[in-house]
Amino acid sequence: MEKVFFMELRKVYPLLVAKAERKGRSRAEVDEAACWLTGYSREELSTLVESDISYGDFFRGAPAPNPNRDKVTGSICGVKVEAIQDPLLRDIRILDKLVDELAKGKPLEKVLRK
């Protein structure tokens, strides 16, 4: 099992937000990307970020994983997202990729594959 599965969402999520904010993007955009990917509402996301839920359980419990998430391709941390075999790890890396694209200035509509 990957160590990232056991990390607390409340510790990981602020790092994703900080990465985007350093590049002039907003928490709202990161929230929208996370909600798009998982199917959580903003209210549910906010509650979960304040809870003790693990990062893995956050993704395992996603109410409606977006069927278009497989359209997210490219490298994150030197690994091709589409080559990751473990579906849970792939979803985690897809969120990393979405935040990375936001931080690089890509419009939110393109990040969310609309």
Side-chain angles (χ1 to χ4, degrees):
M1 287 283 254
E2 296 286 334
K3 190 167 92 171
V4 70
F5 296 168
F6 302 101
M7 296 172 75
E8 292 179 350
L9 177 65
R10 69 176 172 199
K11 292 184 178 178
V12 176
Y13 201 76
L15 299 174
L16 295 172
V17 171
K19 179 179 184 176
E21 288 178 341
R22 278 193 304 272
K23 299 293 184 167
R25 303 309 286 260
S26 69
R27 180 187 180 119
E29 290 173 304
V30 176
D31 289 353
E32 189 168 340
C35 291
W36 174 88
L37 178 62
T38 61
Y40 288 113
S41 70
R42 287 195 184 225
E43 296 77 25
E44 290 169 322
L45 175 63
S46 181
T47 300
L48 289 168
V49 168
E50 298 299 320
S51 75
D52 290 332
I53 193 169
S54 72
Y55 206 37
D57 286 344
F58 169 74
F59 283 97
R60 281 187 203 97
N66 194 306
N68 288 331
R69 69 189 187 281
D70 291 335
K71 293 182 180 178
V72 178
T73 59
S75 294
I76 189 76
C77 300
V79 177
K80 293 273 186 195
V81 172
E82 59 272 23
I84 299 171
Q85 295 300 311
D86 183 318
L88 179 58
L89 185 58
R90 186 179 323 115
D91 284 347
I92 288 170
R93 293 299 178 211
I94 286 171
L95 183 56
D96 289 343
K97 182 68 178 165
L98 296 175
V99 172
D100 195 48
E101 289 176 356
L102 278 173
K104 289 181 178 175
K106 202 170 187 182
L108 187 60
E109 296 74 35
K110 288 194 178 199
V111 170
L112 302 183
R113 308 319 196 248
K114 291 186 176 179

